[in-house]
Amino acid sequence: MDFLIKALQLILSLSILVILHEFGHFFFARLFKTRVEKFYLFFNPGFSLFKFKKGDTEYGLGWLPLGGYVKISGMIDESMDKEQLKEEPKSWEFRSKPAWQRLLIMVGGVLVNFITALVIFWLILFKWGESYIPAENARYGLYFHPIAQEMGLQEGDRVLKVGTHDVETVPGITRLILLEDASEMTVERNGEQILLPIPSDINQRILAAGVRTLADFRIPIVVDTVIPGSGAFIGGLQKNDSIVGVDNVETPFFHQFTAELANHRDKETLISLYRDGNLYHLNMSVDESGKLGFGPKGPTKLLGARQLSYGFFEAMPAGINKGVNLLTGYVKQLKLVFSREGAKQIGGFGTIGSLFAPVWDWESFWYTTAFLSIILAFMNILPIPALDGGHVLFLIYEIVARRKPSDKFMEHAQMVGMVLLLGLLIWANGNDLYRWIFK
């Protein structure tokens, strides 16, 4: 069921973004009286699932869900329709329009995707606001991935700065280390501030290990709910009990507790806890997945979260800022791709689908859609033939050199670009398949 929900969200999200992207091209083409022959969601080699014609444009739904397209008269695109180019240019054709108009037609899709992301972020902040736990609220300190421990970080440390950048959120630690090329970090340990060097090869080590986050909050185990019929329920666990040990092993923090409990799967074990200031030792059965059957209080309740609310007009600049920051971060990540370990992290539809929540949550759906809209805009503006950015590159050359590249050159460039994109598609989805097979 989780897979189905994620798949449906992926299809809906990409359908919305592809239609809007192609509408961007369509809008500017029609604005400059350029004929659009086809407007399709998904590709339709051989046949279409659905189509109708209105005016000069055929609208349709293809069967191959790898994107969409608009076919503009007099333009060399993925359709590789060269018959038009053998005839004299018509006034309604793309090739007959001034370079500045053709430039706007080509950037229209990217422009609409970027604006779409900003609008979605604006409305998300207006509707739901935003909530996060500031890094400064880590009153119990942090615990760290083994790679972070190899850097010298210890349980209970608090990371204050990475280079010159203040750490505002704990997940932000990994992002700052990966993207900001810092050589050291400022850490608070036992009330004192110390500097720890950041190894020069840390990015590749993080990518090779597939690490999503190097640090997380240490929180005590405080019971919030107990599942009826579970080992915790039968053993007498109650709300607000504070668990401190498993089988006489001290586990004051949740990550320690879960790690130790996993060693007692399908067994009965001794659980030490405090209740109303008194220490108790109760026998409880651990299920085969290594759980007792209770819901703990999360970091939001135990550490406190910062909740930001916005009025309709207040949310607009905040949404724009969020979109620009995401785009900036994504551009910085590009340097990671051009390495052996970075290339292994490139993912296809499986990776994109994993971004969505396993339950249908509209706030999460729209946030992920806005994020994907940023990615779609950025990827399409890359100067690769067959992408919008490739066409833009040749148009800029035309404006500067005051002459067009030949039709034959454009045909060859389009073919090279399509081969590159096909190779990237195979590589990305191959990575997904490899990760799925080998976990």
Side-chain angles (χ1 to χ4, degrees), residues 37 71-72 74-88 93 95 407-412 414-415:
E37 298 176 14
K71 187 178 185 308
I72 299 174
M75 175 183 169
I76 298 175
D77 57 14
E78 58 271 15
S79 70
M80 296 304 293
D81 181 3
K82 296 176 283 188
E83 293 303 314
Q84 286 183 340
L85 304 182
K86 295 177 182 179
E87 303 174 3
E88 286 297 314
E93 290 185 340
R95 55 181 170 158
D407 290 341
K408 185 62 66 176
F409 172 83
M410 293 298 292
E411 289 173 23
H412 291 157
Q414 188 75 11
M415 291 177 65

Side-chain angles (χ1 to χ4, degrees), residues 51 68 108 112 125 163 219 222 229 305 318 330 358 381:
K51 64 181 180 180
V112 167
L125 293 178
I219 56 172
V222 181
Y330 194 76
I381 205 62

Side-chain angles (χ1 to χ4, degrees), residues 22-30 32-39 56-57 69-79 81 84-85 92-97 101-102 104-109 388 391:
E22 300 306 334
F23 174 76
H25 297 305
F26 179 85
F27 172 80
F28 282 104
R30 296 298 295 268
F32 300 129
K33 296 180 172 56
T34 306
R35 182 175 294 176
V36 179
E37 298 176 14
K38 293 184 179 182
F39 188 127
D56 296 319
T57 306
Y69 71 97
V70 288
K71 187 178 185 308
I72 299 174
S73 295
M75 175 183 169
I76 298 175
D77 57 14
E78 58 271 15
S79 70
D81 181 3
Q84 286 183 340
L85 304 182
W92 62 77
E93 290 185 340
F94 179 81
R95 55 181 170 158
S96 300
K97 303 301 177 181
Q101 292 185 4
R102 284 181 279 133
L104 284 175
I105 292 171
M106 292 317 305
V107 300
D388 297 342
H391 291 283

Side-chain angles (χ1 to χ4, degrees), residues 10 40 47 49 72 90 93 98 106 110 124 181 227 229 236 247 260 284 295 299 315 387 391-392 400 408 414 419 434:
L10 173 64
Y40 265 75
F47 67 95
L49 297 178
I72 299 174
K90 308 294 192 305
E93 290 185 340
M106 292 317 305
V110 168
I124 285 174
D181 296 321
I227 300 172
D247 195 30
E260 182 60 32
M284 298 184 193
L387 290 179
H391 291 283
V392 169
V400 173
K408 185 62 66 176
Q414 188 75 11
V419 170
Y434 180 86

Side-chain angles (χ1 to χ4, degrees), residues 117-416:
L118 300 185
V119 170
I120 292 175
F121 284 131
W122 171 17
L123 297 178
I124 285 174
L125 293 178
F126 169 64
K127 168 87 176 156
W128 290 289
E130 59 182 331
S131 178
Y132 67 96
I133 303 174
E136 63 189 27
N137 287 16
R139 61 175 62 96
Y140 305 103
L142 306 174
Y143 70 96
F144 300 94
H145 188 277
I147 288 179
Q149 294 174 19
E150 292 170 9
M151 295 166 58
L153 289 161
Q154 299 178 8
E155 280 242 359
D157 286 350
R158 294 175 57 211
V159 182
L160 306 179
K161 287 187 176 184
V162 174
T164 59
H165 299 271
D166 292 329
V167 173
E168 297 180 359
T169 64
V170 172
I173 295 171
T174 310
R175 181 181 59 81
L176 290 172
I177 290 174
L178 284 172
L179 302 183
E180 300 301 339
D181 296 321
S183 59
E184 62 184 17
M185 67 179 74
T186 305
V187 175
E188 182 183 278
R189 179 178 297 165
N190 299 324
E192 296 183 1
Q193 291 189 14
I194 61 173
L195 292 177
L196 289 180
I198 299 176
S200 59
D201 66 342
I202 191 63
N203 284 4
Q204 297 308 304
R205 289 160 63 187
I206 291 172
L207 292 174
V211 179
R212 296 298 181 91
T213 180
L214 290 170
D216 207 345
F217 293 105
R218 293 203 306 182
I219 56 172
I221 314 106
V222 181
V223 178
D224 193 33
T225 58
V226 180
I227 300 172
S230 65
F233 182 85
I234 295 170
L237 197 65
Q238 297 179 13
K239 183 173 182 175
N240 294 323
D241 284 351
S242 182
I243 299 174
V244 294
V246 177
D247 195 30
N248 294 317
V249 176
E250 291 186 1
T251 58
F253 299 107
F254 188 75
H255 67 286
Q256 298 168 335
F257 168 73
T258 54
E260 182 60 32
L261 204 63
N263 297 326
H264 301 271
R265 289 187 177 95
D266 234 0
K267 297 178 183 177
E268 186 174 276
T269 191
L270 193 68
I271 302 297
S272 302
L273 58 92
Y274 278 96
R275 181 183 298 164
D276 298 326
N278 298 313
L279 181 63
Y280 293 86
H281 302 282
L282 304 177
N283 285 313
M284 298 184 193
S285 296
V286 184
D287 66 21
E288 59 184 11
S289 63
K291 297 179 180 179
L292 290 176
F294 73 93
K297 292 185 179 180
T300 299
K301 287 186 177 181
L302 295 173
L303 303 178
R306 184 170 295 167
Q307 180 68 44
L308 301 177
S309 300
Y310 299 89
F312 183 75
F313 293 106
E314 288 178 309
M316 182 171 67
I320 292 173
N321 186 57
K322 185 174 285 291
V324 170
N325 287 341
L326 268 175
L327 177 60
T328 302
Y330 194 76
V331 172
K332 288 182 178 180
Q333 288 180 38
L334 195 62
K335 67 179 181 181
L336 302 176
V337 174
F338 297 103
S339 67
R340 180 178 178 181
E341 297 302 335
K344 293 178 182 178
Q345 305 306 311
I346 296 174
F349 292 110
T351 297
I352 297 172
S354 69
L355 297 175
F356 291 94
V359 295
W360 201 291
D361 176 82
W362 283 111
E363 180 181 1
S364 174
F365 170 81
W366 286 116
Y367 188 94
T368 305
T369 298
F371 177 64
L372 291 179
S373 195
I374 292 280
I375 294 176
L376 186 61
F378 176 72
M379 293 299 292
N380 267 282
I381 205 62
L382 291 176
I384 299 174
L387 290 179
D388 297 342
H391 291 283
V392 169
L393 179 66
F394 297 135
L395 280 166
I396 292 174
Y397 165 81
E398 178 184 337
I399 292 171
V400 173
R402 297 183 182 277
R403 62 188 179 91
K404 294 182 181 181
S406 69
D407 290 341
K408 185 62 66 176
F409 172 83
M410 293 298 292
E411 289 173 23
H412 291 157
Q414 188 75 11
M415 291 177 65
V416 169

